[in-house]
């Protein structure tokens, strides 16, 4: 797995800051980093589907890493985004983390230069693959940065930060959570696997859910569930509570766990 640096100067890029912030809010609300993104690739012969990528903001204002993602295609030819009719190759990618550079301090270019001095963190070609040593150093820098910022990120609004739930959800948790859109607005989708069977809980009317649990954002709701409903059995108790409070939900594991043998 390689590590690719996608360089982004919103001052002249076709991907403007307004588009970035719009994608950030969209990804945060849906809890899905698929924003139909692609980017020009310089080292096209070294980049592959599944590589890690970092979006490095350069140019005017704060510079540093504004997003992290995963490459989701092999390089392919496309029209030159700058309209200079140059042969240009692109890769698709999905976001895993997005940070508003006008709201929070980034892992900045100065710190990156100090740690990895043999790479240009202020400009140059986009879509450059790091060496193995450079990549290992950057991944450690990123992990340390995310840990340092965790307290601040917890307070961030969904307009300023997107962190894929798979990255922040503890690995020992027996279920996963996702926010999805439905006809009534939004619903929380929780699922866990028992052998080959996937069990699910879907709670509709996201705004009422937030009010019930006394939280104001998706991240706060995830943390609340993590603290108060850490097991599948606690989720089953939650289902009964939601049913008594007449909040719409569907849960096959709740129905199975609460089916009486004498059909009471």
């Amino acid at each position: 797995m390689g590590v690719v640096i996608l360089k982004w100067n919103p001052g002249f890029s076709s991907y403007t800051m307004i588009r970035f912030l719009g994608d950030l809010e969209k990804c945060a609300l849906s809890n899905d980093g698929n924003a139909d993104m692609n980017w020009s690739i310089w080292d096209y012969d070294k980049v592959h589907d599944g590589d890690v990528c970092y979006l490095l903001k350069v140019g005017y204002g704060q510079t540093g890493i504004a997003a992290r993602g995963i490459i989701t295609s092999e390089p392919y030819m496309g029209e030159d985004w700058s309209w200079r009719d140059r042969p240009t190759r692109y890769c698709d990618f999905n976001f895993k983390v997005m940070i508003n550079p006008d709201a929070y301090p980034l892992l900045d270019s100065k710190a990156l230069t100090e740690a990895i001095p043999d790479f240009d963190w202020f400009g140059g070609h986009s879509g450059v693959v790091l060496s193995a040593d450079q990549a290992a150093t950057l991944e450690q820098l990123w992990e340390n940065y995310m840990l340092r910022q965790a307290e601040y990120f917890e307070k961030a609004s969904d307009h300023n930060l997107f962190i894929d739930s798979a990255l922040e959800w503890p690995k020992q948790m027996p279920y996963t959570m996702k926010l999805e859109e439905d006809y009534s607005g939004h619903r929380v989708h929780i699922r866990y696997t028992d052998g080959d069977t996937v069990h699910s809980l879907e709670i509709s009317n996201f705004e009422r859910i937030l009010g019930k649990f006394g939280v104001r954002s998706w991240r706060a709701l995830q943390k609340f569930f993590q603290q108060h409903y850490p097991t599948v059995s606690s989720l089953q108790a939650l289902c009964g509570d939601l049913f008594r409070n007449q909040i719409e939900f569907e849960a096959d594991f709740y129905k199975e766990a609460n089916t009486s043998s004498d059909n009471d």
Side-chain angles (χ1 to χ4, degrees):
M1 181 179 67
V3 174
V4 188
I5 306 301
L6 311 176
K7 297 184 180 179
W8 171 48
N9 188 334
F12 63 80
S13 172
S14 60
Y15 191 56
T16 63
M17 180 62 73
I18 292 176
R19 285 184 60 191
F20 176 85
L21 295 178
D23 285 341
L24 189 160
E25 185 173 5
K26 172 186 174 183
C27 290
L29 183 61
S30 64
N31 196 41
D32 185 350
N34 185 2
D36 297 322
M37 287 298 301
N38 64 8
W39 212 264
S40 59
I41 301 295
W42 179 258
D43 286 336
Y44 61 87
D45 56 338
K46 301 177 184 178
V47 176
H48 300 287
D49 187 355
D51 286 348
V52 172
C53 61
Y54 289 89
L55 185 65
L56 177 71
K57 180 180 177 294
V58 299
Y60 179 77
Q62 183 179 196
T63 62
I65 294 174
R68 184 178 188 271
I70 299 294
I71 301 291
T72 58
S73 75
E74 294 296 317
Y76 55 86
M77 290 294 296
E79 293 184 2
D80 183 3
W81 63 269
S82 65
W83 303 102
R84 285 184 280 180
D85 200 26
R86 301 171 301 179
T88 306
R89 288 176 172 84
Y90 296 87
C91 273
D92 301 332
F93 71 95
N94 286 348
F95 289 112
K96 294 297 181 182
V97 177
M98 299 179 72
I99 303 165
N100 182 352
D102 293 330
Y104 288 94
L106 304 178
L107 175 54
D108 62 73
S109 297
K110 180 179 179 181
L112 290 165
T113 300
E114 291 173 354
I116 310 174
D118 52 342
F119 187 86
D120 185 358
W121 296 101
F122 290 92
H125 295 298
S126 179
V128 178
V129 177
L130 298 183
S131 69
D133 289 343
Q134 291 172 332
T137 300
L138 176 57
E139 293 278 69
Q140 187 60 60
L141 286 172
W142 178 256
E143 182 178 345
N144 294 341
Y145 164 79
M146 293 296 289
L147 288 173
R148 288 196 310 271
Q149 298 298 323
E151 179 181 353
Y152 300 99
F153 286 166
E154 182 60 37
K155 301 175 183 177
S157 75
D158 287 336
H159 299 281
N160 292 317
L161 179 71
F162 163 64
I163 301 180
D164 189 294
S165 62
L167 296 177
E168 63 177 347
W169 201 255
K171 293 182 179 179
Q172 67 270 23
M173 294 297 290
Y175 58 86
T176 60
M177 295 179 66
K178 186 174 183 179
L179 183 63
E180 298 179 333
E181 292 190 43
D182 70 358
Y183 67 92
S184 62
H186 295 90
R187 63 184 175 188
V188 176
H189 187 192
I190 302 171
R191 64 170 56 191
Y192 80 97
T193 302
D194 180 12
D196 295 330
T197 305
V198 177
H199 301 273
S200 64
L201 162 67
E202 294 184 359
I203 314 171
S204 299
N205 201 331
F206 184 60
E207 288 73 20
R208 286 185 62 191
I209 298 168
L210 292 179
K212 171 179 171 50
F213 294 116
V215 296
R216 293 183 296 175
S217 73
W218 168 238
R219 279 182 303 282
L221 183 65
Q222 287 181 307
K223 185 174 181 180
F224 183 91
F225 269 64
Q226 175 184 331
Q227 293 175 340
H228 296 277
Y229 302 98
T231 65
V232 172
S233 59
S234 63
L235 280 178
Q236 292 170 348
L238 168 65
C239 289
D241 183 44
L242 293 174
F243 180 78
R244 286 188 292 272
N245 285 275
Q246 297 182 337
I247 292 180
E248 297 178 40
F249 74 98
E250 296 180 3
D252 53 26
F253 62 82
Y254 167 75
K255 296 172 185 175
E256 293 170 8
N258 291 275
T259 300
S260 172
S261 59
D262 57 3
N263 295 321
D264 287 344

